[in-house]
Amino acid sequence: AFPRAFPETGKPAFSFSGLKTSLRYQLEKMSDGEVETAFPDLCASYQAAVVDALARKTRQFLSRGEWKSLGLSGGVANNNQLQAAFEKLANRSGVPFFRALPRHTGDNAAMIAFAAYMDPGGCREGAVPLDPAWELA
């Protein structure tokens, strides 16, 4: 039973810090064996809390009627629960739902690893030539 954020209506910012802290305290109360046994349930419960928070904030903005569509992109777009929640929100709000295809979503860890490979010295200016027009394979 992880907490759900109750973001302030009308403001786009909110935090997962209370959720992260509650997970930490929950894990500290459990033995290694208990964590191993409960791991799937912990993950599912944590995911549900994150999806609920994102859906609640998105619903607040969709309810204004100012938006013509709802989109989901980035690595998080591959999460089936979030996809389903956002698609449901879009349908209820009468707007089309668009999500990035998996081949168009990046893995932040992979991108960071690539940057480290290209610049093993650590972010020297100009060490990695960047071109915003590069095509994704």
Side-chain angles (χ1 to χ4, degrees):
F2 291 110
R4 280 18 181 201
F6 292 102
E8 191 174 333
T9 303
K11 295 192 179 193
F14 65 100
S15 172
F16 287 112
S17 61
L19 176 61
K20 294 183 292 187
T21 301
S22 69
L23 175 61
R24 176 183 169 208
Y25 290 151
Q26 179 64 41
L27 293 174
E28 287 176 353
K29 289 190 279 184
M30 300 170 74
S31 70
D32 290 346
E34 290 171 325
V35 170
E36 186 174 336
T37 300
F39 193 71
D41 290 331
L42 288 168
C43 291
S45 297
Y46 196 83
Q47 174 180 266
V50 170
V51 168
D52 285 351
L54 292 172
R56 179 177 287 130
K57 179 53 89 172
T58 302
R59 185 173 39 255
Q60 285 178 358
F61 281 92
L62 284 175
S63 70
R64 294 179 178 182
E66 301 170 10
W67 311 103
K68 296 182 191 238
S69 64
L70 176 60
L72 183 60
S73 63
V76 71
N78 293 315
N79 182 285
N80 293 331
Q81 298 299 317
L82 188 58
Q83 285 175 28
F86 273 36
E87 186 166 19
K88 185 176 180 181
L89 283 171
N91 289 337
R92 285 185 175 172
S93 299
V95 298
F97 173 64
F98 301 101
R99 76 171 185 88
L101 297 174
R103 69 176 188 240
H104 296 141
T105 58
D107 179 341
N108 290 341
M111 290 185 279
I112 292 167
F114 176 74
Y117 172 78
M118 293 297 293
D119 183 18
C123 298
R124 293 183 311 272
E125 188 172 327
V128 178
L130 299 177
D131 181 354
W134 280 344
E135 291 185 26
L136 297 174

